[in-house]
């Protein structure tokens, strides 16, 4: 099983904190661990991001244990199309990193800390300068910020040690000018590093998936073939649906009475309490506010009612 190829501390943390690997993780890890370009296509919430990151964390963890320290070098670049997503990933990285470090200490090991940093257009100048003086091991950034980094001499020097680049939400930019621009930036990043970079792409399910893989690896082709030199882990699937239409017992009129609205709000409250996640879509902010006041505060996002587990 692919989880067995991780360091025991990393594997035990994952098993304890996350349970069984998801399909993108189960099928993606062997390809990434074998240093292949890898494209993972799967729905949101299927564990794609950790599928990409955990191997990089494992490599840094092992190196730190073997040498007693990690050099001040950036080895992993994670690219997100949105600044907000970049910040989320930066925050979410702390969970595995802190969990693995804590478990290692409990077992008498002293791994050096794995440093992360985020670089977007909102990053203060002081933090950018600090990165140049002491580069993070994992850099989280956006396509535009990465472009600026590969074109400036000091930050380009920081990128010469990169070994792995992860492109998240690749489907969101594939057919746009941003996608073309990022493709060029990836080639410039590889030129700055003067080595073949392992490229890992994370995508929602796309067709044809081979086109997404071709975009990810650029001109890297299999010998004697036009096929991209990329392992494709396509675990797209449709979720089981339990679809129902509900209407209030009272007649629906052009102008709804207060009693009808109370009935609707009461039913929404029941649905929210019966499910872990509830999405409520309404056509005015006024109605959204009213429904929030009358139901329990566990809405995951704005939006009538798509109910999920």
């Amino acid at each position: 099983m692919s989880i067995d190829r991780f360091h025991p501390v990393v594997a035990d943390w994952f098993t304890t904190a996350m349970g069984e690997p998801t399909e993108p993780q189960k099928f993606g890890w062997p390809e990434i661990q074998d240093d292949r370009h890898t494209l993972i296509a799967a729905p949101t919430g299927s564990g794609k991001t950790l599928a990409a990151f955990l191997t990089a964390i494992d490599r840094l963890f092992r190196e730190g244990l073997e040498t007693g320290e990690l050099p001040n070098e950036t080895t992993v670049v994670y690219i997100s199309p949105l600044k907000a997503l970049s910040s989320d990933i930066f925050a979410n990285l702390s969970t595995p990193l802190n969990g693995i470090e804590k478990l290692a200490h409990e077992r008498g090991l002293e791994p050096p800390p794995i440093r992360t940093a985020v670089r977007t257009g909102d990053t203060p100048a002081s933090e950018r300068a600090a990165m140049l003086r002491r580069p993070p091991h994992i850099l989280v950034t956006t396509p535009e910020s990465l472009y600026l980094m590969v074109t400036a001499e000091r930050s380009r020097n920081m990128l010469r040690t990169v070994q792995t680049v992860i492109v998240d939400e690749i489907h969101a930019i594939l057919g746009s000018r941003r996608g073309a621009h990022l493709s060029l930036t990836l080639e410039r990043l590889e030129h700055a590093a003067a080595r073949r970079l392992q490229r890992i792409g994370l995508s929602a399910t796309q067709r044809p998936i081979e086109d997404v893989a071709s975009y990810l690896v650029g001109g890297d082709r299999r010998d004697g073939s036009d096929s991209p030199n990329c392992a494709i882990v396509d675990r797209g699937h449709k979720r089981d649906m339990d679809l129902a239409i509900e209407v209030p017992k009272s007649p629906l009129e052009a102008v709804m009475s207060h009693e009808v609205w109370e009935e609707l709000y009461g039913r929404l409250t029941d649905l929210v309490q019966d499910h872990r996640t509830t999405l409520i879509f309404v056509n005015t902010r006024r109605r959204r506010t009213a429904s929030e006041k009358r139901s329990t505060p566990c809405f995951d996002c704005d939006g009538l009612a798509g109910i999920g587990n």
Side-chain angles (χ1 to χ4, degrees):
M1 188 175 178
S2 56
I3 190 72
D4 297 332
R5 296 177 63 179
F6 290 110
H7 188 281
V9 170
V10 177
D12 289 348
W13 169 83
F14 181 89
T15 302
T16 301
M18 310 302 295
E20 291 294 320
T22 63
E23 286 201 347
Q25 294 164 352
K26 187 190 308 180
F27 293 97
W29 281 334
E31 305 292 353
I32 298 172
Q33 290 165 336
D34 288 340
D35 199 33
R36 297 190 63 190
H37 299 314
T38 305
L39 172 64
I40 300 177
T44 300
S46 56
K48 296 192 298 293
T49 303
L50 195 54
F53 266 124
L54 198 61
T55 298
I57 293 174
D58 182 71
R59 289 170 180 168
L60 288 166
F61 181 79
R62 289 175 182 271
E63 180 182 352
L65 287 179
E66 291 172 1
T67 63
E69 63 178 352
L70 287 172
N72 292 323
E73 297 177 349
T74 298
T75 59
V76 181
V77 172
Y78 171 92
I79 306 169
S80 168
L82 299 176
K83 289 187 288 186
L85 287 176
S86 295
S87 299
D88 288 344
I89 294 298
F90 175 67
N92 292 339
L93 267 174
S94 63
T95 298
L97 291 174
N98 293 339
I100 292 168
E101 184 177 14
K102 179 181 178 181
L103 185 58
H105 288 156
E106 291 175 354
R107 298 186 177 182
L109 302 175
E110 294 295 332
I114 299 173
R115 298 191 309 277
T116 61
V118 62
R119 168 68 158 84
T120 70
D122 295 334
T123 304
S126 58
E127 293 184 16
R128 299 180 192 181
M131 289 181 208
L132 296 177
R133 293 192 299 270
R134 193 167 183 246
H137 303 115
I138 301 175
L139 175 66
V140 179
T141 188
T142 61
E144 290 74 21
S145 291
L146 181 61
Y147 166 76
L148 294 175
M149 294 184 73
V150 298
T151 55
E153 183 177 1
R154 292 188 64 194
S155 54
R156 186 169 60 248
N157 287 334
M158 187 186 88
L159 298 173
R160 296 191 188 281
T161 55
V162 172
Q163 301 173 19
T164 303
V165 57
I166 302 170
V167 185
D168 199 1
E169 301 289 337
I170 195 171
H171 60 278
I173 59 175
L174 182 60
S176 66
R177 292 182 179 180
R178 291 185 76 201
H181 194 258
L182 176 58
S183 181
L184 177 61
T185 301
L186 290 175
E187 296 301 324
R188 297 186 72 169
L189 174 63
E190 191 159 285
H191 182 266
R195 64 163 63 86
R196 169 193 172 275
L197 301 182
Q198 182 183 24
R199 302 188 186 192
I200 303 171
L202 308 177
S203 173
T205 303
Q206 298 283 291
R207 294 291 183 270
I209 194 66
E210 290 77 12
D211 289 353
V212 185
S214 293
Y215 169 83
L216 175 66
V217 303
D220 195 346
R221 303 284 159 172
R222 294 194 176 100
D223 292 340
S225 171
D226 291 333
S227 300
N229 183 23
C230 182
I232 298 176
V233 179
D234 188 1
R235 311 311 297 180
H237 65 275
K238 293 184 178 180
R239 299 184 184 275
D240 294 334
M241 297 183 65
D242 181 7
L243 181 64
I245 298 176
E246 297 195 26
V247 296
K249 297 177 182 178
S250 305
L252 296 176
E253 305 289 347
V255 178
M256 303 280 280
S257 67
H258 178 73
E259 289 76 14
V260 176
W261 283 118
E262 287 298 328
E263 184 182 336
L264 287 174
Y265 296 139
R267 180 55 182 150
L268 282 176
T269 299
D270 292 340
L271 291 171
V272 169
Q273 292 174 336
D274 290 343
H275 297 83
R276 190 173 66 190
T277 302
T278 305
L279 307 182
I280 299 181
F281 299 89
V282 296
N283 59 358
T284 68
R285 181 174 292 275
R286 176 174 172 271
R287 289 181 179 174
R288 185 196 74 177
T289 304
S291 66
E292 288 174 343
K293 290 179 179 178
R294 289 167 172 80
S295 58
T296 56
C298 49
F299 298 107
D300 275 6
C301 63
D302 222 1
L304 192 62
I307 310 296
N309 289 327

